[in-house]
Amino acid sequence: MKVAIIMGSASDWETMSPAARTLKEFGVEHEVRVISAHRTPDLAADFAKNAKENGFGVIIAAAGGAAHLGGVLASMTTLPVIGVPIKSKALGGMDSLLSIVQMPSGIPVATMAIDGAKNAALYAIHILALSDGELAAKLDEFRRQQTEKVLRTTIEY
Ligand code: RP5
């Protein structure tokens, strides 16, 4: 199953590229697209309604400001949607965070940290790994190496 990385604007790409990089490192097929809940609402609806039959298993939705993208996509699919609040110029991303996290009961969106692109990819991998043993083994190895790295860390002072 593929992962979709959907961004409200091309200006989100710099923040979101680590998500694509992480998926690539894990060998997870993915597509990156710009779809805006406000500027291209018809496209957003079309994408969400057809995402499952188009082979997607998880949708990552990144947006800043009035960040309704994840919620709008989630309202039209039962695929898991992971929201990434993008740091905004005016309010530092608090607007994005609150727009994504405060979903009405019944339409969940898993909300990452502000600019949390890498964790969004990892969370998507966690979901796919539930039904993919090879991916689950890669995730275990990633965790093992991450732990090793921390244990080897020394501070010079
Ligand atoms: C949101 O508005 C986008 O997700 C982006 O984070 C923000 C600014 O978009 P641009 O004005 O740079 O296109 O919709």
Side-chain angles (χ1 to χ4, degrees), residues 8-9 11-12 39 63-64:
S9 169
S11 66
D12 298 324
R39 292 167 177 158

Side-chain angles (χ1 to χ4, degrees), residues 60-139:
I60 294 171
H68 302 139
L69 179 62
V72 164
L73 295 176
S75 73
M76 287 177 280
T77 180
T78 53
L79 289 176
V81 175
I82 303 169
V84 180
I86 301 291
K87 190 179 283 178
S88 56
K89 284 195 192 103
L91 298 169
M94 278 306 289
D95 44 354
S96 323
L97 174 64
L98 297 178
S99 299
I100 295 173
V101 80
Q102 288 294 352
M103 286 298 293
S105 174
I107 307 292
V109 171
T111 309
M112 299 293 108
I114 294 170
D115 287 353
K118 183 173 177 180
N119 266 2
L122 287 171
Y123 200 56
I125 290 165
H126 284 214
I127 293 168
L128 297 181
L130 288 171
S131 55
D132 182 336
E134 202 179 319
L135 194 54
K138 284 182 190 171
L139 204 45

Side-chain angles (χ1 to χ4, degrees), residues 6 31 44 52 54 56-57 70 99 105 129-130 147:
I6 309 297
E31 287 181 25
K52 200 180 283 185
N54 284 335
F56 291 102
S99 299
S105 174
L130 288 171
T147 300

Side-chain angles (χ1 to χ4, degrees), residues 26 133 135-146:
F26 276 84
L135 194 54
K138 284 182 190 171
L139 204 45
D140 285 341
E141 178 57 17
F142 166 80
R143 287 290 186 93
R144 194 191 63 72
Q145 286 184 18
Q146 183 171 248

